Amino acid sequence: MCYGTEFISRDLDLWAYANDVIPDFSRPGKPTDNGFIEAFNSKLRAECLNAHWFMSLADAREKLEDWRRYYNEVRPHSAIGYNVPIDKHYPDGVTSPSS
């Protein structure tokens, strides 16, 4: 997890305990502890959060779901040879389930 204490809460602790999850926090000021999530967060911010106004929670959910589908089902990723992630996971062309 990034950012430590600003995302710590009683509910997160309870969920982690109930699901046998041990939280692992990045060291403050060390974003390279998890370069993959830092790269993803950068893309999410640049391609989605900075590109849209969210007028309501429902609107935010819809726009984020549209972006998630685009990111996983349409957008080529250089890390996997400019392929689309869903094609690597489901070679038969199955799309991700609706949420």
Side-chain angles (χ1 to χ4, degrees):
M1 281 193 265
C2 295
Y3 311 118
T5 58
E6 71 184 84
F7 289 110
I8 294 175
S9 71
R10 183 171 84 38
D11 292 337
L12 176 62
D13 288 340
L14 291 171
W15 176 88
Y17 179 78
N19 291 280
D20 294 322
V21 172
I22 300 170
D24 186 15
F25 295 95
S26 296
R27 298 171 295 162
K30 303 290 182 186
T32 55
D33 280 354
N34 193 342
F36 292 111
I37 196 63
E38 291 298 323
F40 172 78
N41 286 346
S42 173
K43 289 172 180 63
L44 173 64
R45 179 161 305 284
E47 297 175 11
C48 185
L49 301 178
N50 288 344
H52 298 286
W53 286 89
F54 301 112
M55 305 309 285
S56 66
L57 186 55
D59 182 47
R61 285 182 177 137
E62 181 180 334
K63 288 174 180 170
L64 286 163
E65 176 62 14
D66 289 345
W67 183 83
R68 183 195 66 80
R69 286 184 174 273
Y70 167 76
Y71 186 83
N72 289 316
E73 298 174 9
V74 177
R75 182 184 181 278
H77 293 247
S78 61
I80 54 174
Y82 293 94
N83 290 303
V84 178
I86 197 82
D87 292 343
K88 300 299 266 182
H89 191 67
Y90 296 110
D92 297 332
V94 177
T95 58
S96 63
S98 59
S99 45

